[in-house]
Amino acid sequence: MFNNMKIGLRLALGFCLVIVFMIAIIVVSLNQMADSRAILDRIVNINNVRLQLTNSMIDHVREVSIALRTVLLLKDISKTKEIENKIAEARKEYDENLKKVEELTSSDDTKTFDLISKVKASQEKSRTLNDAVFERAAAGKRDEAFDLMTGKASPAVGHWIELIDELINHNKERNAIRYEEARKEQENARSFMFVLGATAIALAIAISILLTLGITRPLKTSVHAANLIASKDLTINLSAHNAANLIASKDLTINLSAH
């Protein structure tokens, strides 16, 4: 069927096939870029932000612990109000960060929500103990406050920080998973584009060869037939050389009887 097509139609078909493959490569490239960008945006704008927030939460917990130790060492009880305000501010920032972490967590990430629940439970217990330490220290009951801090409050806060660390590590794992997804997307797209590109090149070469042969062979036959006719050699079998078709394609009319 391809041999019976006109040269113009062959060229058009060949170019169309090559263009289709080029368009496919462009589409795959754009989709891969969009997918990779979406994953990287999530890593930067969600996962990394959650890591920053959870790290800040640990800092706030430690700020409160330092403030409580400062209360235990105070000789001037009148300064306890200032420290109390610092504790309240640290807790406020902590609560805001924890809320943002929850908002940035997707509904399918059940492990993060489970860890957040554990963190909240430990947070409530630790804050209750810390408040008791502060009240005793502010009332001048330093020995009781010290015993409560070392015996119950500090271990509770330590467990609280461990749970936040688990939340941080889980977010790091999620980051690694997202990065691996982006890497696989790029590899798959690269492989697919390589296959399409190689196919397009092979197709272009095949079309070029077919078009060249489809043009040069008939031309050679036409020239050979024309030379024989010009030398008044009518022994040529024109049907064997497809001369009729070739000469017709050049708008030539041969009257064999006239020779």
Side-chain angles (χ1 to χ4, degrees):
M1 183 178 72
F2 187 77
N3 291 331
N4 295 329
M5 291 183 182
K6 294 182 179 179
I7 296 298
L9 186 58
R10 294 183 193 180
L11 286 170
L13 180 60
F15 283 123
C16 285
L17 289 174
V18 173
I19 289 172
V20 167
F21 276 93
M22 293 300 103
I23 292 174
I25 292 174
I26 292 172
V27 171
V28 170
S29 300
L30 292 176
N31 286 337
Q32 184 272 329
M33 290 173 61
D35 292 341
S36 297
R37 182 174 180 178
I39 294 173
L40 293 175
D41 283 345
R42 182 172 182 81
I43 291 174
V44 172
N45 298 323
I46 296 180
N47 294 58
N48 284 348
V49 172
R50 288 194 306 187
L51 282 173
Q52 293 173 357
L53 292 171
T54 46
N55 277 302
S56 294
M57 286 163 57
I58 288 181
D59 292 338
H60 296 318
V61 172
R62 287 173 175 158
E63 283 178 21
V64 173
S65 296
I66 292 171
L68 288 174
R69 290 187 179 93
T70 303
V71 171
L72 289 174
L73 298 173
L74 274 180
K75 293 181 179 180
D76 186 0
I77 303 299
S78 62
K79 293 183 179 180
T80 56
K81 186 62 178 177
E82 181 182 346
I83 296 175
E84 185 179 11
N85 291 335
K86 289 182 179 179
I87 292 175
E89 184 63 27
R91 287 179 173 178
K92 178 183 177 184
E93 292 179 5
Y94 171 95
D95 292 338
E96 290 175 352
N97 289 346
L98 181 56
K99 183 179 179 182
K100 289 178 183 176
V101 170
E102 288 184 282
E103 292 173 350
L104 291 173
T105 302
S106 58
S107 58
D108 62 329
D109 189 2
T110 55
K111 186 173 181 179
T112 294
F113 284 112
D114 181 57
L115 287 171
I116 289 174
S117 297
K118 292 179 180 178
V119 166
K120 285 182 175 180
S122 182
Q123 161 194 315
E124 185 177 355
K125 178 181 178 181
S126 298
R127 283 185 176 179
T128 300
L129 290 169
N130 284 342
D131 288 341
V133 170
F134 184 86
E135 289 171 2
R136 283 168 173 75
K141 301 176 182 178
R142 298 181 186 278
D143 292 338
E144 289 185 21
F146 182 79
D147 291 340
L148 182 59
M149 173 174 276
T150 55
K152 293 183 179 180
S154 292
V157 170
H159 180 61
W160 183 9
I161 291 176
E162 287 176 1
L163 289 173
I164 299 175
D165 275 331
E166 284 187 36
L167 186 59
I168 290 173
N169 291 331
H170 176 61
N171 277 304
K172 288 180 179 178
E173 291 173 1
R174 298 278 292 184
N175 253 6
I177 291 172
R178 295 295 182 187
Y179 175 79
E180 186 64 19
E181 288 176 356
R183 189 185 66 80
K184 287 183 179 179
E185 284 284 346
Q186 291 178 344
E187 286 185 355
N188 292 337
R190 189 184 300 113
S191 299
F192 191 61
M193 285 188 289
F194 177 79
V195 171
L196 285 179
T199 303
I201 292 172
L203 182 62
I205 293 173
I207 291 173
S208 299
I209 293 173
L210 290 174
L211 288 175
T212 301
L213 293 176
I215 294 172
T216 57
R217 282 178 178 175
L219 283 177
K220 288 180 180 179
T221 303
S222 297
V223 171
H224 181 63
N227 288 336
L228 290 176
I229 293 173
S231 64
K232 297 183 180 182
D233 184 356
L234 303 181
T235 60
I236 182 174
N237 184 355
L238 295 179
S239 60
H241 292 279
N242 296 318
N245 291 334
L246 295 170
I247 294 173
S249 67
K250 300 181 71 174
D251 295 325
L252 298 177
T253 303
I254 298 178
N255 187 350
L256 297 179
S257 60
H259 294 280

